[in-house]
Amino acid sequence: MRRLLLIVVLAALPAGPAQAAFAPVDQPGPPLSVPSSKLAAALVCGKGVDNAARAPVLLVPGTGATADDNFSWNYEPAFDAQGIPWCAVTFPAAGNNDIQVNGEYVVYSIRTMFARAGRRIAIAGHSQGGMVPRWALRWWPDTRVMVDDVIGFAGTNHGTTSAQPDCPRGCIPADTQQAAKSKFIEALNSGQETFAGISYTEVYTHTDEEVQPNADNTGTSSLHTGDGRITNVAVQDICPADPVEHLGLGTVDGPAYALAIDALDHDGPADPKRISTSVCTPPLMPGLNPVTWPADAAKAAVNVETSSGDTVTHEPPLACYVTAACASGGGPAGAGAGNAPGAPAGCADTRRLVFHVSAGRARVTSLTVFVDGKRVMVKRGRRLTSVRVPALPPEGVHTVRIVTRASDGIRRVAVHRYRACAKARARNRRLRTRR
């Protein structure tokens, strides 16, 4: 997950109703609420996925990152060189919004890749991306027989103490849900943490400044319960002097990559005893361009820190399907239609919205921005990476739709919803005047 950079002063919202008992692990999952066209557009695949000769890997990015930010300059070229087929998924708002919605994208990706490959798949993810596949496996039991390996780099499996489920000054939904004491984390780990037939390799670093605590295998990333085969391992168990921090663990670290390859190449999870200490000198993974990777890493870090999403003051309500009493398998318990998963639960200053656009390894060449159904902007260029949206009306809930076309010929659509907050704007103006 990423740290909160933009602080918006918001009025506190009332807490949601008490949550009923969690659904049993064998309760069938609900229908996906996200339109299939959006789910399909979010999944980009390399070569060799159809009728795959080996298990293809689903790459899942962390909070604030697109698949391009997280994997296009490291894992994708490394897997291509190894002949490992892969697909990568990008969540709405770069994963900053409701993780329950992101879970639906993972469910769709698992089902799609399994059908295309004709065999079980593997999943590798960083930070939120190391954890959210477990949300899919917990609440959609049909996906379990489709997955062989789950590999997490600094996964927020038990949340992090650096975040809180309530943030009166405003924060992104995904941060509240990845707090160590959030209802989301409680639901994620209800019943059992792992499932039979799936191997779990959970990689972490002692020097993680974001996902804490991770001092040993009792920390947040490690898993312990259930019927899956589990390896919890710190990269310092292989390379004691490895100083890698949070973002680097899932993007450039050689020992982390070696553990992932070991898990993919063997039955069961990774075995640290099979990893040579030669990966420690230097501790960088293959696949990195020796000339451009420092700039690639810096760009990814900037994109993560500047990505935007909804602003909330409380953790989004849990979806109804997580409860044993839910008959419909639908959205958040006790919530009306205007508060569905992904809808803004707080309000935000909507005068300076900047969105990063990506098309995986292709180039975005044109984009069109619609606000509340009205076209407000068209941009064209050889490679578009971001767009600043004109200020939205000062009150009400507004929908921003960004339609992109890329060099691969694919049309992609991203939709973001915001509740504008005139009071917050007025207060911000007063604060600036006083300074």
Side-chain angles (χ1 to χ4, degrees), residues 144-167:
R144 296 171 197 162
V145 297
M146 304 177 187
V147 177
D148 188 24
D149 279 279
V150 172
I151 302 165
F153 306 116
T156 48
N157 288 317
H158 297 92
T160 174
T161 55
S162 66
Q164 297 295 327
D166 295 315
C167 46

Side-chain angles (χ1 to χ4, degrees), residues 103-115:
E104 295 194 21
Y105 282 77
V106 175
V107 172
Y108 175 88
S109 298
I110 292 172
R111 291 171 175 168
T112 300
M113 291 179 64
F114 177 76

Side-chain angles (χ1 to χ4, degrees), residues 309-322:
D310 293 338
T311 301
V312 298
T313 55
H314 296 275
E315 176 188 354
L318 289 176
C320 184
Y321 61 76
V322 309

Side-chain angles (χ1 to χ4, degrees), residues 263-279:
L264 296 173
D265 284 348
H266 296 87
D267 179 56
D271 183 350
K273 296 178 182 178
R274 292 193 290 251
I275 308 299
S276 169
T277 56
S278 63
V279 302

Side-chain angles (χ1 to χ4, degrees), residues 4 60 70 100 142 152 174 176 182 186 242 254 289 291 296 303 314 324 326 339 353 367 369 377 396:
L4 176 66
V60 189
N70 228 142
Q100 297 172 103
D142 69 290
T176 66
S182 72
E186 182 183 1
D242 189 348
N289 185 309
V291 176
D296 294 334
N303 287 349
H314 296 275
C326 181
N339 200 24
L353 295 177
L367 63 84
V369 179
M377 179 185 298

Side-chain angles (χ1 to χ4, degrees), residues 13-388:
L13 298 179
Q19 190 65 42
F22 294 117
V25 296
D26 58 352
Q27 178 169 295
L32 302 183
S33 65
V34 180
S36 59
S37 59
K38 293 183 180 180
L39 297 170
L43 186 66
V44 176
C45 298
K47 298 178 180 179
V49 174
D50 296 307
N51 303 310
R54 61 177 294 168
V57 182
L58 173 61
L59 295 168
V60 189
T63 308
T66 64
D68 194 40
D69 294 329
N70 228 142
F71 303 116
S72 66
W73 51 281
N74 42 51
Y75 274 83
E76 290 175 11
F79 282 177
D80 286 343
Q82 292 278 344
I84 300 174
W86 56 267
C87 293
V89 61
T90 291
F91 300 133
N96 287 313
N97 289 342
D98 191 342
I99 301 176
Q100 297 172 103
V101 176
N102 300 345
E104 295 194 21
Y105 282 77
V106 175
V107 172
Y108 175 88
S109 298
I110 292 172
R111 291 171 175 168
T112 300
M113 291 179 64
F114 177 76
R116 290 181 57 178
R119 63 185 301 153
R120 299 172 74 191
I121 74 165
I123 306 175
H126 176 234
S127 196
Q128 180 192 142
M131 168 274 289
V132 71
R134 294 184 51 238
W135 185 266
L137 294 167
R138 170 63 176 89
W139 304 110
W140 283 268
D142 69 290
T143 61
R144 296 171 197 162
V145 297
M146 304 177 187
V147 177
D148 188 24
D149 279 279
V150 172
I151 302 165
F153 306 116
T156 48
N157 288 317
H158 297 92
T160 174
T161 55
S162 66
Q164 297 295 327
D166 295 315
C167 46
R169 290 193 170 192
C171 57
I172 62 173
D175 275 358
T176 66
Q177 291 169 311
Q178 289 175 97
K181 295 182 179 181
S182 72
K183 286 293 183 182
F184 175 89
I185 292 297
E186 182 183 1
L188 170 70
N189 295 304
S190 63
Q192 59 192 75
E193 295 176 349
T194 66
F195 297 97
I198 303 176
S199 300
Y200 297 79
T201 300
E202 300 298 333
V203 184
Y204 60 96
T205 175
H206 296 319
T207 51
D208 197 318
E209 79 285 9
E210 293 281 353
V211 180
Q212 304 170 353
N214 259 321
D216 53 39
N217 67 3
T218 65
T220 181
S221 294
S222 297
L223 301 175
H224 300 282
T225 70
D227 304 314
R229 291 189 284 178
I230 306 169
T231 290
N232 300 311
V233 55
V235 291
Q236 287 83 9
D237 294 339
I238 299 168
C239 304
D242 189 348
V244 68
E245 39 64 66
H246 179 71
L247 183 60
L249 186 73
T251 55
V252 301
D253 192 66
Y257 173 82
L259 288 163
I261 293 297
D262 187 79
L264 296 173
D265 284 348
H266 296 87
D267 179 56
D271 183 350
K273 296 178 182 178
R274 292 193 290 251
I275 308 299
S276 169
T277 56
S278 63
V279 302
C280 304
T281 51
L284 293 174
M285 64 175 284
L288 298 174
N289 185 309
V291 176
T292 65
W293 81 260
D296 294 334
K299 178 183 176 183
V302 170
N303 287 349
V304 169
E305 294 296 344
T306 58
S307 63
S308 59
D310 293 338
T311 301
V312 298
T313 55
H314 296 275
E315 176 188 354
L318 289 176
C320 184
Y321 61 76
V322 309
T323 69
C326 181
S328 64
N339 200 24
C347 57
D349 187 334
T350 53
R351 289 172 296 178
R352 297 181 180 88
L353 295 177
V354 178
F355 298 92
H356 296 278
V357 294
S358 173
R361 305 188 75 175
R363 302 186 310 276
V364 176
T365 55
S366 70
L367 63 84
T368 306
V369 179
F370 298 84
V371 175
D372 298 334
K374 181 180 178 180
R375 187 174 68 181
V376 298
M377 179 185 298
V378 177
K379 292 184 68 175
R380 293 182 175 86
R382 296 186 62 183
R383 186 180 183 92
L384 301 174
T385 59
S386 65
V387 58
R388 182 184 293 275

